[in-house]
Amino acid sequence: MKIDNLVRIIDGTLQTEPSIDAFERITFDASRVLRGDLFIDSNASLQACAEASSKGAYAIVSTLDFKGDDHELAWIYVDAIEQALVKLLRYHVAEKALQCVCLSPLQASLLEMLQSPKSIKILKGTLIETAIELLRVREKDFFGIIDSALCQ
């Protein structure tokens, strides 16, 4: 994805002027960053950002202001990681033509018991866990989301 597109999608502010213009994949774990990745700093940790940078991240999204000397790194400041993730997921769901339905916990439990081949993946857990699942999917997959705030 192009960095300038990401900045627009998540309403971020690019605080550096890197020569690179795109990243390969998205990760939330600094220890798993590969060269070319976008690291989303969900814990507001300068240490994690430094580790991601040293491992070759091309871009970092954080609620922290840029403090460093690597201006080749695309540092994207956002007011809130959660809001940025929701905006990114909304874009991703539309781009991949994913089918998502909102479920109550009871509906999700019943659906999990009744499906023999798991044709609908039930997303439960934190926003980060949901984001990780949704960012890995193929086009036109089906999902059930329990988190009513995320559904909205």
Side-chain angles (χ1 to χ4, degrees):
M1 175 183 273
K2 296 276 189 185
I3 290 171
D4 59 339
N5 289 343
L6 174 71
V7 171
R8 275 194 303 278
I9 290 167
I10 65 174
D11 291 327
T13 303
L14 186 61
Q15 294 188 331
T16 56
E17 295 182 23
S19 59
I20 51 103
D21 66 346
F23 58 88
E24 297 290 321
R25 63 185 193 116
I26 299 172
T27 186
F28 296 86
D29 183 351
S31 67
R32 294 182 177 209
V33 168
L34 299 174
R35 182 172 186 77
D37 284 355
L38 164 72
F39 171 64
I40 297 182
D41 176 27
S42 58
N43 296 318
S45 167
L46 281 175
Q47 182 179 352
C49 292
E51 180 179 357
S53 176
S54 71
K55 289 185 171 237
Y58 278 10
I60 292 177
V61 173
S62 181
T63 56
L64 302 172
D65 282 318
F66 177 70
K67 293 182 173 115
D69 54 358
D70 185 2
H71 291 275
E72 286 300 308
L73 175 69
W75 191 280
I76 304 163
Y77 171 83
V78 293
D79 291 327
I81 289 292
E82 295 80 11
Q83 289 176 343
L85 272 178
V86 168
K87 290 172 184 176
L88 179 60
L89 292 177
R90 185 181 307 136
Y91 169 82
H92 186 69
V93 165
E95 179 189 45
K96 295 277 187 178
L98 302 178
Q99 303 292 319
C100 297
V101 294
C102 294
L103 302 170
S104 71
L106 178 60
Q107 290 170 322
S109 295
L110 286 171
L111 187 60
E112 283 181 319
M113 288 189 293
L114 294 175
Q115 299 188 82
S116 43
K118 299 279 186 198
S119 57
I120 298 177
K121 171 81 172 146
I122 307 297
L123 300 175
K124 25 184 170 174
T126 66
L127 178 59
I128 302 292
E129 292 165 341
T130 299
I132 290 168
E133 286 289 327
L134 281 175
L135 291 170
R136 288 187 199 161
V137 299
R138 296 183 312 269
E139 289 192 24
K140 300 182 182 177
D141 277 351
F142 291 93
F143 291 91
I145 300 174
I146 297 173
D147 185 338
S148 59
L150 183 58
C151 283
Q152 304 229 344

